[in-house]
Amino acid sequence: MVHPKNIVVKISGKWINPDKPEIIGGYARVLKKLYEEGYRIAVVVGGGRVAREYIAAGRKLGLSEAMLDLMGIATTRLNAMLFTVILDNLAYQGVPRSLDEFMEAWSTGKIVICGGFQPGQSTNAVSALIAEAIGAKLLVNATTVQGLYDKDPNKYPDAKLIKETNIEETYRILIREQHYAAGGYELMDPLSLMIIKRGKITVKIVYGGDPENVYRAVKGENPGTTIRPE
Amino acid sequence: MVHPKNIVVKISGKWINPDKPEIIGGYARVLKKLYEEGYRIAVVVGGGRVAREYIAAGRKLGLSEAMLDLMGIATTRLNAMLFTVILDNLAYQGVPRSLDEFMEAWSTGKIVICGGFQPGQSTNAVSALIAEAIGAKLLVNATTVQGLYDKDPNKYPDAKLIKETNIEETYRILIREQHYAAGGYELMDPLSLMIIKRGKITVKIVYGGDPENVYRAVKGENPGTTIRPE
Amino acid sequence: MVHPKNIVVKISGKWINPDKPEIIGGYARVLKKLYEEGYRIAVVVGGGRVAREYIAAGRKLGLSEAMLDLMGIATTRLNAMLFTVILDNLAYQGVPRSLDEFMEAWSTGKIVICGGFQPGQSTNAVSALIAEAIGAKLLVNATTVQGLYDKDPNKYPDAKLIKETNIEETYRILIREQHYAAGGYELMDPLSLMIIKRGKITVKIVYGGDPENVYRAVKGENPGTTIRPE
Amino acid sequence: MVHPKNIVVKISGKWINPDKPEIIGGYARVLKKLYEEGYRIAVVVGGGRVAREYIAAGRKLGLSEAMLDLMGIATTRLNAMLFTVILDNLAYQGVPRSLDEFMEAWSTGKIVICGGFQPGQSTNAVSALIAEAIGAKLLVNATTVQGLYDKDPNKYPDAKLIKETNIEETYRILIREQHYAAGGYELMDPLSLMIIKRGKITVKIVYGGDPENVYRAVKGENPGTTIRPE
Amino acid sequence: MVHPKNIVVKISGKWINPDKPEIIGGYARVLKKLYEEGYRIAVVVGGGRVAREYIAAGRKLGLSEAMLDLMGIATTRLNAMLFTVILDNLAYQGVPRSLDEFMEAWSTGKIVICGGFQPGQSTNAVSALIAEAIGAKLLVNATTVQGLYDKDPNKYPDAKLIKETNIEETYRILIREQHYAAGGYELMDPLSLMIIKRGKITVKIVYGGDPENVYRAVKGENPGTTIRPE
Amino acid sequence: MVHPKNIVVKISGKWINPDKPEIIGGYARVLKKLYEEGYRIAVVVGGGRVAREYIAAGRKLGLSEAMLDLMGIATTRLNAMLFTVILDNLAYQGVPRSLDEFMEAWSTGKIVICGGFQPGQSTNAVSALIAEAIGAKLLVNATTVQGLYDKDPNKYPDAKLIKETNIEETYRILIREQHYAAGGYELMDPLSLMIIKRGKITVKIVYGGDPENVYRAVKGENPGTTIRPE
């Protein structure tokens, strides 16, 4: 049950939050364009500054990691709601809190925007699960970086952007570079990679600061890194 | 159906938000103490910095006031959630979104914490409605000021704190001083005053920066202004 | 985000209730016609005889005003449900209980019918909030009177119907004539007026006993009073 | 899993509706007394005048019987809500709409009040299902008559009240007297009788116009007719 | 409010369950074909082997019949969910649990699939209620047998298949043959027959082991037994 | 916010399913005993035979892994429901579908039983998250094996049961032995281990075929393997 025009867009919380109204506006224009070209689009919004603030406060107050995660997820939903109301009648006017609720919302034929689902599961993993659930073969990940590098670009000035690779290689790089450690740039966690692999989903990592990159990626260009599923 | 030990505490969003973990912790201790003394407590949390950020972003993006209000309410719920999880098993672990849901949560006998309910209705009005619904005769309003002044203290250095007054007088002062205008300190709007009056609820306005003021107000002291309902 | 073909119709509970099946049928025909002409319609149904009965009973039993309001709202939802099932597949087959739920239902593209939302908020205010939320520029208020009069027509035989006016003038008349007092004909409360003003919504007050008045008002006629938002 | 102090009270819609505030008050006192004596009580409220009005209106408007049933159920829920808010903190402050929701509400330990559940199922059947689900061995049915008669008392002046009988005999009488026809007094339908039989539930039919009859029936008296399950 | 292209298909739990993926696939193809021809289809799935397993386990553990019924209904919903996800974007991606929820889902214009609703109500009765609610005039009942026989075909080798009959006659046969006793083949219970009669719904009983029979029945053929409503 | 009497019990789907009514009964007795001794217990039920059947059917029908996971989770909830209704008024009569819903149910003070939450997250991970969320320091994992072995006991007859170990060592063994591969005995996945570690939770792995092992583990014995969090 592959649907070639179904697409998932994961957007870093850095871009969809109250500090970036212009970028939100840019994403709204891009999604409108794609919607009118016949694409069906699911969007997953990550955490960001506001999430970090609530998590930091909760941590000072002695909350467990599970409850901090719950707070963070609530914040991603707030960002998702902001984006949802901006999209007006192009979007389903609610923020699904689980894959079940997502599927119900998806039935309406509108753009559906969500944040995280459950503690212990990143918004990257959520975007991969949704891609699999709706038979999407393309997941565009609009991140804070230009794409996947062979080394951590923050540490090594000679790090090179990888234009094309596959899941196995991605896994090796992320592990080697300890991208999962604190301060890593959280491109994809092992669960996301596993789902992408089994779902035979192509991932395009793009720089999310320019919403047009998402449009380009959907239309066949490769503005950052393309990760083939096999 | 008056319940003398039922109490509503309205806390300004200035105090319950990720910037103030120590104050949240202070409120948690005060509520625990009151709960253990047999009081049944409903808490309403107002908006604050984070609410203002989302509203400002939405306004730049062209959202209507109704939708901005919806965003602000979602933020008050996030603050309510933070406080709820901190209170752990003293509090009902959910944030009611309407008076109906509040009453269901209230059935559990736990402290119940909520934010706003609906656009067009302030969190002050929500706290007054809840007081009426649960037969509370005391509403403690933990604000950003010391109490009610005869003039706007921000404009007039000789403004005097009023220790005791009644609803009619409060209404006159708030109207005269245009406290409802932008920049006013939003003590109570006309709807809140009307509900307080008809519900024969005593309001104690206290400075919310010291959570102990709420304890004192509940135990019969008057740390700020007391407004009698008749 | 103005949508010129989005329209809100507020109908007094006097017309949508079990005593008036013919009028309900008339409204169903009018809405069907408008729907087929491409209008997207939200309907808000007020209270009426049945609401008054439940409120009177609750008052005798000592319920607070907040709980009476909750009972009244439940009754408006029952009337909304009756109208909803009559409209069959033209209408979303559920009655939203909040603006959030309304927006979700509105996503389906069907006519959405609701009653009140929360205590402390009239159905007039609900209709104004919905108009603002969906970018409607016209709110037709099908009331129990012919329109706005310069004096209370029940008291003064020489009261004159005002054909056109604006929000400021409406506010002055309603205040002067104490339309908000018991027995006043509850055209619009201050909250409704405030939302209409900020939302730049044109209100047409029409006599709701003839459903065709709603059709005429939508199609540009002025069967009662037109209130301009500026 | 029999719970000897669990009891179900079915009250005819004739007694719990806005026309009978005094009787509602009487039932509230009876339930309070039983609750304080340690009984756990589920209440099912039937339809009545208001239900008949909505059904009549819907029928004139061409609704199918299924939709009319849905309207009638919505009305029983409104009556249940009125009774619920009157009972204040003795009752779970919500009206369950299904057996699943009832069981969740029952978890709170409060009195739970509901109306009908689904079209095609009488409120008598609902009360029998609930009795079975909570392991109650007594169902008090507060009706519009004094109890079960050997003939229809409306037609035969010599009809005799039966003080004690069993399910089989009850079934024979109800069938013979065509109590299920329009105008019959709807004591119990075949589904209710079947559930009562399999659940080994004793039914006491009492005249509901005097709430004390319910108290007497629970405390071992037989103010009307007692139907033994075997 | 008759909708000639609205159709209800009841499918025995024998065919929609994890043991029969091929038959589920067959039904998916038939529904797709009908959907593309413009029919609007509601599906009700019955219990089956898995339902019987949970009911048997519950019975050994002392559950009441009402709770066993609740377990059985939960299982029919699991089968409905399996069928729902198979149908992918042709179906509303949720399983309604009541007629209210069904009507909301039906608003989306998709195929809606449900299992049972409430204890004390068979899935046959659910399918009849839905037919009535959506104004369908045809209910296809895909059973485990070829149609209605004049005698129980399991007991009498000379039992004859009845090709056409009416509700009254059906009722007489089912009563006489005690089809409602344990081991009877549960074609239709009295409640289902009553709804079908009042709703003037034509029932076609077909052998569900061949999904094409449903297609044939919808297109005017009579692959099993046709029961006319009058 | 550590609660020493809060405990999580994870039970393999092998033991809570319709094939094992006696074992379910045994677990009911053990939980009742612990509940009466003052322990507060959350239970997570895994998948089992029925889950595997639905997953196998869905796979034949071409469902994606995400949807298969959704089917499997629905089945764990069915098992959780069976156990819930058996526990009667000791348990919250609902099955939470997310950590948010779990926390609401936990507010009631009853035993709460759930299955899986979201695709991509094992029931082991769910049990670890719940332990963390409720401040439990003990998670008893009632599995299909006697405890943790140094080698896969299915392959090596000389595999030795490890009585005590820590998280790091457990991780090494599970990785080395490829317990995560298909056919491995799924003791704990990396996400579960990570949560257990950060939450400082002691895990006791016991053979679930004897429910008394859970009682022993809670009371301080070590019937299988104890994994210390540091």
PDB file of all heavy atoms in Angstrom, chain C residues 24-41:
ATOM      1  N   ILE C  24     -37.800  24.651  12.264  1.00  0.00           N
ATOM      2  CA  ILE C  24     -36.548  23.896  12.080  1.00  0.00           C
ATOM      3  C   ILE C  24     -36.462  23.413  10.637  1.00  0.00           C
ATOM      4  O   ILE C  24     -35.423  23.526   9.979  1.00  0.00           O
ATOM      5  CB  ILE C  24     -36.472  22.699  13.057  1.00  0.00           C
ATOM      6  CG1 ILE C  24     -36.404  23.203  14.505  1.00  0.00           C
ATOM      7  CG2 ILE C  24     -35.276  21.812  12.734  1.00  0.00           C
ATOM      8  CD1 ILE C  24     -36.393  22.087  15.542  1.00  0.00           C
ATOM      9  N   GLY C  25     -37.569  22.885  10.133  1.00  0.00           N
ATOM     10  CA  GLY C  25     -37.593  22.435   8.739  1.00  0.00           C
ATOM     11  C   GLY C  25     -37.282  23.578   7.787  1.00  0.00           C
ATOM     12  O   GLY C  25     -36.552  23.413   6.808  1.00  0.00           O
ATOM     13  N   GLY C  26     -37.796  24.760   8.082  1.00  0.00           N
ATOM     14  CA  GLY C  26     -37.516  25.927   7.250  1.00  0.00           C
ATOM     15  C   GLY C  26     -36.042  26.287   7.257  1.00  0.00           C
ATOM     16  O   GLY C  26     -35.450  26.565   6.208  1.00  0.00           O
ATOM     17  N   TYR C  27     -35.462  26.254   8.436  1.00  0.00           N
ATOM     18  CA  TYR C  27     -34.021  26.544   8.515  1.00  0.00           C
ATOM     19  C   TYR C  27     -33.208  25.493   7.764  1.00  0.00           C
ATOM     20  O   TYR C  27     -32.195  25.797   7.135  1.00  0.00           O
ATOM     21  CB  TYR C  27     -33.564  26.639   9.975  1.00  0.00           C
ATOM     22  CG  TYR C  27     -33.789  28.016  10.554  1.00  0.00           C
ATOM     23  CD1 TYR C  27     -34.771  28.260  11.496  1.00  0.00           C
ATOM     24  CD2 TYR C  27     -33.013  29.085  10.113  1.00  0.00           C
ATOM     25  CE1 TYR C  27     -34.989  29.541  12.006  1.00  0.00           C
ATOM     26  CE2 TYR C  27     -33.219  30.363  10.613  1.00  0.00           C
ATOM     27  CZ  TYR C  27     -34.207  30.586  11.553  1.00  0.00           C
ATOM     28  OH  TYR C  27     -34.406  31.849  12.023  1.00  0.00           O
ATOM     29  N   ALA C  28     -33.640  24.248   7.850  1.00  0.00           N
ATOM     30  CA  ALA C  28     -32.928  23.188   7.135  1.00  0.00           C
ATOM     31  C   ALA C  28     -32.925  23.491   5.632  1.00  0.00           C
ATOM     32  O   ALA C  28     -31.893  23.354   4.963  1.00  0.00           O
ATOM     33  CB  ALA C  28     -33.574  21.832   7.418  1.00  0.00           C
ATOM     34  N   ARG C  29     -34.064  23.920   5.118  1.00  0.00           N
ATOM     35  CA  ARG C  29     -34.128  24.228   3.681  1.00  0.00           C
ATOM     36  C   ARG C  29     -33.228  25.408   3.317  1.00  0.00           C
ATOM     37  O   ARG C  29     -32.529  25.387   2.314  1.00  0.00           O
ATOM     38  CB  ARG C  29     -35.579  24.530   3.267  1.00  0.00           C
ATOM     39  CG  ARG C  29     -36.415  23.268   3.055  1.00  0.00           C
ATOM     40  CD  ARG C  29     -37.799  23.570   2.494  1.00  0.00           C
ATOM     41  NE  ARG C  29     -38.612  24.361   3.417  1.00  0.00           N
ATOM     42  CZ  ARG C  29     -39.326  23.865   4.427  1.00  0.00           C
ATOM     43  NH1 ARG C  29     -39.349  22.562   4.657  1.00  0.00           N
ATOM     44  NH2 ARG C  29     -40.029  24.658   5.217  1.00  0.00           N
ATOM     45  N   VAL C  30     -33.235  26.452   4.155  1.00  0.00           N
ATOM     46  CA  VAL C  30     -32.391  27.625   3.890  1.00  0.00           C
ATOM     47  C   VAL C  30     -30.914  27.253   3.916  1.00  0.00           C
ATOM     48  O   VAL C  30     -30.136  27.634   3.032  1.00  0.00           O
ATOM     49  CB  VAL C  30     -32.702  28.737   4.929  1.00  0.00           C
ATOM     50  CG1 VAL C  30     -31.574  29.773   4.964  1.00  0.00           C
ATOM     51  CG2 VAL C  30     -34.030  29.406   4.600  1.00  0.00           C
ATOM     52  N   LEU C  31     -30.511  26.476   4.905  1.00  0.00           N
ATOM     53  CA  LEU C  31     -29.093  26.109   4.994  1.00  0.00           C
ATOM     54  C   LEU C  31     -28.676  25.235   3.815  1.00  0.00           C
ATOM     55  O   LEU C  31     -27.579  25.368   3.285  1.00  0.00           O
ATOM     56  CB  LEU C  31     -28.811  25.391   6.319  1.00  0.00           C
ATOM     57  CG  LEU C  31     -28.912  26.243   7.586  1.00  0.00           C
ATOM     58  CD1 LEU C  31     -28.384  25.467   8.786  1.00  0.00           C
ATOM     59  CD2 LEU C  31     -28.158  27.561   7.459  1.00  0.00           C
ATOM     60  N   LYS C  32     -29.576  24.342   3.414  1.00  0.00           N
ATOM     61  CA  LYS C  32     -29.276  23.468   2.265  1.00  0.00           C
ATOM     62  C   LYS C  32     -29.027  24.326   1.019  1.00  0.00           C
ATOM     63  O   LYS C  32     -28.063  24.108   0.275  1.00  0.00           O
ATOM     64  CB  LYS C  32     -30.463  22.540   2.035  1.00  0.00           C
ATOM     65  CG  LYS C  32     -30.218  21.437   1.020  1.00  0.00           C
ATOM     66  CD  LYS C  32     -31.345  20.393   1.109  1.00  0.00           C
ATOM     67  CE  LYS C  32     -31.026  19.174   0.258  1.00  0.00           C
ATOM     68  NZ  LYS C  32     -31.128  19.408  -1.174  1.00  0.00           N
ATOM     69  N   LYS C  33     -29.898  25.308   0.817  1.00  0.00           N
ATOM     70  CA  LYS C  33     -29.774  26.189  -0.337  1.00  0.00           C
ATOM     71  C   LYS C  33     -28.434  26.928  -0.306  1.00  0.00           C
ATOM     72  O   LYS C  33     -27.693  26.954  -1.308  1.00  0.00           O
ATOM     73  CB  LYS C  33     -30.941  27.201  -0.299  1.00  0.00           C
ATOM     74  CG  LYS C  33     -31.401  27.715  -1.621  1.00  0.00           C
ATOM     75  CD  LYS C  33     -32.849  28.277  -1.604  1.00  0.00           C
ATOM     76  CE  LYS C  33     -33.198  29.128  -0.387  1.00  0.00           C
ATOM     77  NZ  LYS C  33     -34.446  29.910  -0.548  1.00  0.00           N
ATOM     78  N   LEU C  34     -28.110  27.496   0.848  1.00  0.00           N
ATOM     79  CA  LEU C  34     -26.846  28.233   0.968  1.00  0.00           C
ATOM     80  C   LEU C  34     -25.645  27.298   0.773  1.00  0.00           C
ATOM     81  O   LEU C  34     -24.670  27.640   0.107  1.00  0.00           O
ATOM     82  CB  LEU C  34     -26.763  28.928   2.331  1.00  0.00           C
ATOM     83  CG  LEU C  34     -27.721  30.103   2.528  1.00  0.00           C
ATOM     84  CD1 LEU C  34     -27.753  30.532   3.991  1.00  0.00           C
ATOM     85  CD2 LEU C  34     -27.333  31.281   1.636  1.00  0.00           C
ATOM     86  N   TYR C  35     -25.738  26.121   1.353  1.00  0.00           N
ATOM     87  CA  TYR C  35     -24.650  25.136   1.244  1.00  0.00           C
ATOM     88  C   TYR C  35     -24.411  24.797  -0.223  1.00  0.00           C
ATOM     89  O   TYR C  35     -23.273  24.727  -0.688  1.00  0.00           O
ATOM     90  CB  TYR C  35     -25.038  23.889   2.038  1.00  0.00           C
ATOM     91  CG  TYR C  35     -23.990  22.820   2.103  1.00  0.00           C
ATOM     92  CD1 TYR C  35     -22.926  22.912   2.996  1.00  0.00           C
ATOM     93  CD2 TYR C  35     -24.072  21.691   1.288  1.00  0.00           C
ATOM     94  CE1 TYR C  35     -21.975  21.908   3.075  1.00  0.00           C
ATOM     95  CE2 TYR C  35     -23.122  20.686   1.362  1.00  0.00           C
ATOM     96  CZ  TYR C  35     -22.077  20.795   2.252  1.00  0.00           C
ATOM     97  OH  TYR C  35     -21.132  19.797   2.339  1.00  0.00           O
ATOM     98  N   GLU C  36     -25.504  24.619  -0.953  1.00  0.00           N
ATOM     99  CA  GLU C  36     -25.367  24.251  -2.371  1.00  0.00           C
ATOM    100  C   GLU C  36     -24.879  25.426  -3.213  1.00  0.00           C
ATOM    101  O   GLU C  36     -24.356  25.223  -4.298  1.00  0.00           O
ATOM    102  CB  GLU C  36     -26.700  23.708  -2.892  1.00  0.00           C
ATOM    103  CG  GLU C  36     -26.962  22.308  -2.332  1.00  0.00           C
ATOM    104  CD  GLU C  36     -28.376  21.808  -2.590  1.00  0.00           C
ATOM    105  OE1 GLU C  36     -29.190  22.608  -3.111  1.00  0.00           O
ATOM    106  OE2 GLU C  36     -28.649  20.638  -2.270  1.00  0.00           O
ATOM    107  N   GLU C  37     -25.054  26.618  -2.688  1.00  0.00           N
ATOM    108  CA  GLU C  37     -24.505  27.791  -3.406  1.00  0.00           C
ATOM    109  C   GLU C  37     -23.043  28.040  -3.022  1.00  0.00           C
ATOM    110  O   GLU C  37     -22.454  29.026  -3.440  1.00  0.00           O
ATOM    111  CB  GLU C  37     -25.340  29.041  -3.082  1.00  0.00           C
ATOM    112  CG  GLU C  37     -26.758  28.965  -3.618  1.00  0.00           C
ATOM    113  CD  GLU C  37     -27.566  30.232  -3.322  1.00  0.00           C
ATOM    114  OE1 GLU C  37     -26.950  31.284  -3.064  1.00  0.00           O
ATOM    115  OE2 GLU C  37     -28.805  30.160  -3.338  1.00  0.00           O
ATOM    116  N   GLY C  38     -22.473  27.164  -2.206  1.00  0.00           N
ATOM    117  CA  GLY C  38     -21.049  27.265  -1.927  1.00  0.00           C
ATOM    118  C   GLY C  38     -20.682  27.969  -0.628  1.00  0.00           C
ATOM    119  O   GLY C  38     -19.494  28.177  -0.350  1.00  0.00           O
ATOM    120  N   TYR C  39     -21.683  28.336   0.153  1.00  0.00           N
ATOM    121  CA  TYR C  39     -21.354  28.934   1.451  1.00  0.00           C
ATOM    122  C   TYR C  39     -20.958  27.852   2.436  1.00  0.00           C
ATOM    123  O   TYR C  39     -21.487  26.736   2.395  1.00  0.00           O
ATOM    124  CB  TYR C  39     -22.567  29.721   1.997  1.00  0.00           C
ATOM    125  CG  TYR C  39     -22.868  30.939   1.187  1.00  0.00           C
ATOM    126  CD1 TYR C  39     -23.828  30.898   0.188  1.00  0.00           C
ATOM    127  CD2 TYR C  39     -22.170  32.129   1.387  1.00  0.00           C
ATOM    128  CE1 TYR C  39     -24.088  32.014  -0.596  1.00  0.00           C
ATOM    129  CE2 TYR C  39     -22.425  33.249   0.616  1.00  0.00           C
ATOM    130  CZ  TYR C  39     -23.386  33.190  -0.370  1.00  0.00           C
ATOM    131  OH  TYR C  39     -23.634  34.292  -1.140  1.00  0.00           O
ATOM    132  N   ARG C  40     -20.027  28.208   3.317  1.00  0.00           N
ATOM    133  CA  ARG C  40     -19.667  27.302   4.422  1.00  0.00           C
ATOM    134  C   ARG C  40     -20.256  27.912   5.684  1.00  0.00           C
ATOM    135  O   ARG C  40     -19.947  29.048   6.021  1.00  0.00           O
ATOM    136  CB  ARG C  40     -18.149  27.172   4.562  1.00  0.00           C
ATOM    137  CG  ARG C  40     -17.538  26.430   3.377  1.00  0.00           C
ATOM    138  CD  ARG C  40     -16.232  25.786   3.798  1.00  0.00           C
ATOM    139  NE  ARG C  40     -16.472  24.870   4.912  1.00  0.00           N
ATOM    140  CZ  ARG C  40     -15.554  24.512   5.796  1.00  0.00           C
ATOM    141  NH1 ARG C  40     -14.320  24.978   5.681  1.00  0.00           N
ATOM    142  NH2 ARG C  40     -15.838  23.694   6.795  1.00  0.00           N
ATOM    143  N   ILE C  41     -21.079  27.147   6.390  1.00  0.00           N
ATOM    144  CA  ILE C  41     -21.915  27.721   7.433  1.00  0.00           C
ATOM    145  C   ILE C  41     -21.692  27.062   8.794  1.00  0.00           C
ATOM    146  O   ILE C  41     -21.703  25.843   8.918  1.00  0.00           O
ATOM    147  CB  ILE C  41     -23.407  27.563   7.038  1.00  0.00           C
ATOM    148  CG1 ILE C  41     -23.623  28.093   5.621  1.00  0.00           C
ATOM    149  CG2 ILE C  41     -24.308  28.272   8.043  1.00  0.00           C
ATOM    150  CD1 ILE C  41     -24.696  27.368   4.874  1.00  0.00           C
TER     151      ILE C  41
END
